[in-house]
Amino acid sequence: MASLKHVTFIVPVLALSFFQPAMAQRSLDADDAALCSAALDLARGWPGMMISQHAKYVQASDWFQTQGIAANEIYFENQLELYIAALTEARDSGDTQFRTVVEGCETYYDTSRTD
């Protein structure tokens, strides 16, 4: 099992690879879905967030969860647990990569979902 420090280190690397222009061309996998579900779930509590933005983050987090479970439920659940811990640490320490991940996931949600 990876340590929290190790997981926290890989989140920025994943975020950078996840949000390249080519991302729109490949399908969402369970790992990417876990990253985004965790990030958007944690971001919905930002102080001063408008109700509409909060509702969007709840909906987006749920959408990523549905996609991740459909791709590989067990792997998604395992990764989600790791990402929640790592992203909570990043958010609480003020790491700017947390916002980068959230914004990338929001962009993916806005441009890729078909509901």
Side-chain angles (χ1 to χ4, degrees):
M1 180 171 171
S3 71
L4 181 58
K5 186 174 185 176
H6 176 73
V7 173
T8 303
F9 175 75
I10 65 169
V11 168
V13 175
L14 288 171
L16 292 175
S17 65
F18 181 61
F19 303 110
Q20 298 298 318
M23 182 59 198
Q25 301 303 317
R26 71 178 181 90
S27 64
L28 185 68
D29 64 21
D31 189 64
D32 296 334
L35 175 65
C36 285
S37 181
L40 293 168
D41 189 52
L42 291 169
R44 67 184 183 182
W46 273 332
M49 180 177 283
M50 296 185 66
I51 293 172
S52 62
Q53 189 70 18
H54 174 85
K56 179 181 180 184
Y57 281 7
V58 169
Q59 182 180 20
S61 178
D62 290 348
W63 182 82
F64 280 109
Q65 182 177 11
T66 300
Q67 301 304 308
I69 288 170
N72 184 334
E73 183 173 4
I74 293 169
Y75 186 73
F76 171 81
E77 294 294 339
N78 290 335
Q79 291 304 103
L80 183 64
E81 186 176 322
L82 292 173
Y83 285 133
I84 288 172
L87 290 169
T88 297
E89 185 177 307
R91 179 197 63 191
D92 293 350
S93 70
D95 187 337
T96 58
Q97 289 297 316
F98 177 72
R99 184 173 290 277
T100 300
V101 171
V102 170
E103 290 171 355
C105 291
E106 183 178 9
T107 298
Y108 185 86
Y109 175 75
D110 289 342
T111 60
S112 299
R113 72 186 192 327
T114 57
D115 33 72

